[in-house]
Amino acid sequence: MRSKPIGIFDSGAGGLSIWKEINALMPYESTLYISDAKYAPYGSKGADVILKRSIVNTETLIGKGAKIIVVACNTATTNAISYLRKRYKIPFIGIEPAIKPAALSSATDSIGILATKGTLSSALFHETSKRYSRDKTVIEQEGKGIVELIESGQLHSNEMKKLLEKYLTPMLNNNIDCLVLGCTHYHFLTPILKQLLPKNVNVIDSCKAIARQTKIVLEKSKLLNENETKAEHVFYTNGSREVMANLMDWDQSIIHKLY
Ligand code: DGL
């Protein structure tokens, strides 16, 4: 069981930001990655659709031998992970917007959160936000259109820059000094955001923390691969192989078509 792969899924290529950290931290772990891009964006879909897609992805990964599943998507985590944990026996790791570290480190007591509509409207997000940011100003912003631009290969477009400027303006007017990236796709925006934001604003995402948490759970569950053998990585998408490959600077031949 220890040599089986870690299963990872997202509505698209966003979860590769987590895959990258998992691979860096645990180079001997094999992985299976599903980009469910045909159904992206999850963020504007109803909770029932997000749950259904999460079940399909989970069952595909289990069917291909995954020993643990990383839900590399804030929208799927906040809407579906409690159901998945009840229904399936294997461990699940999820990702939620990093409100706690942002609230703890903010000197201006004002933080911005960029996330999908599906995440911002979820009960889990409300709970976390209430718990950690009670005495802070929190500017929530739906990143409408961002995932679509990334999934259509327009990460570096003018349209993206304009959208981001629009979304950041109310946050900067409220003097934020932390910007939480509440969607795994947004990690790829980091270099652009750093150009648009003043130097005192920290951009926070949870990718490294999720990789560490995955390792802890694998260790506790006695699932961590102890052999220093070459890891195998298989990537699947039901969307564009080219877009996914370009984001990571890969050759698209390593990405397989999925249903
Ligand atoms: N990457 C996802 C997230 O972390 C999903 C975005 C979407 O499909 O709307 O929320």
Side-chain angles (χ1 to χ4, degrees):
M1 199 62 183
R2 284 178 179 267
S3 61
K4 297 264 188 199
I6 296 174
I8 305 169
F9 78 83
D10 179 36
S11 66
L16 290 172
S17 53
I18 294 183
W19 175 86
K20 204 168 65 180
E21 298 300 341
I22 287 178
N23 186 234
L25 186 67
M26 296 174 281
Y28 302 115
E29 291 293 335
S30 292
T31 61
L32 288 171
Y33 184 96
I34 290 182
S35 152
D36 194 25
K38 191 169 159 190
Y39 297 88
Y42 283 0
S44 54
K45 310 265 187 324
D48 52 336
V49 177
I50 300 167
L51 180 62
K52 206 166 142 201
R53 294 314 305 162
S54 300
I55 291 172
V56 171
N57 297 328
T58 295
E59 293 192 350
T60 306
L61 289 169
I62 292 175
K64 291 183 184 297
K67 61 183 174 185
I68 185 171
I69 291 183
V70 179
V71 182
C73 173
N74 294 260
T75 314
T77 300
T78 49
N79 284 275
I81 203 160
S82 46
Y83 177 89
L84 298 175
R85 284 189 171 129
K86 271 184 227 140
R87 176 153 165 193
Y88 303 96
K89 282 203 181 78
I90 63 169
F92 284 87
I93 306 292
I95 178 164
E96 280 183 73
I99 305 173
K100 187 181 172 187
L104 289 174
S105 69
S106 172
T108 59
D109 283 340
S110 180
I111 63 179
I113 299 178
L114 191 61
T116 68
K117 187 172 161 198
T119 295
L120 293 173
S121 60
S122 68
L124 193 57
F125 173 78
H126 281 295
E127 248 170 63
T128 316
S129 180
K130 216 164 70 191
R131 188 171 330 139
Y132 297 113
S133 59
R134 206 181 290 262
D135 52 346
K136 313 280 173 212
T137 303
V138 180
I139 314 296
E140 292 176 12
Q141 174 64 56
E142 179 194 340
K144 200 171 180 202
I146 296 178
V147 169
E148 288 91 327
L149 285 176
I150 294 176
E151 288 294 329
S152 59
Q154 298 178 75
L155 174 64
H156 297 288
S157 62
N158 268 339
E159 209 179 333
M160 179 70 90
K161 205 172 151 231
K162 274 194 208 137
L163 260 190
L164 292 176
E165 276 167 350
K166 183 169 108 190
Y167 294 158
L168 295 176
T169 301
M171 299 189 185
L172 295 174
N173 288 344
N174 277 280
N175 204 21
I176 64 153
D177 62 355
C178 287
L179 171 64
V180 177
L181 302 185
C183 168
T184 51
H185 279 79
Y186 302 170
H187 172 83
F188 293 100
L189 301 171
T190 308
I192 310 170
L193 288 168
K194 291 210 162 137
Q195 281 175 8
L196 296 174
L197 289 165
K199 288 257 175 316
N200 75 317
V201 179
N202 278 332
V203 178
I204 300 182
D205 70 34
S206 331
C207 302
K208 282 198 166 64
I210 299 309
R212 286 195 298 270
Q213 179 63 11
T214 306
K215 189 172 182 194
I216 290 169
V217 174
L218 285 175
E219 275 165 348
K220 277 195 188 147
S221 324
K222 302 195 176 6
L223 287 172
L224 193 74
N225 187 14
E226 287 170 324
N227 298 324
E228 296 191 357
T229 45
K230 196 176 174 326
E232 279 174 27
H233 304 290
V234 187
F235 303 93
Y236 295 98
T237 183
N238 50 19
S240 160
R241 291 162 67 216
E242 191 187 350
V243 167
M244 194 165 157
N246 285 348
L247 265 182
M248 300 298 280
D249 231 349
W250 289 341
D251 189 294
Q252 56 170 291
S253 62
I254 69 162
I255 301 163
H256 304 266
K257 268 288 188 194
L258 181 74
Y259 39 80

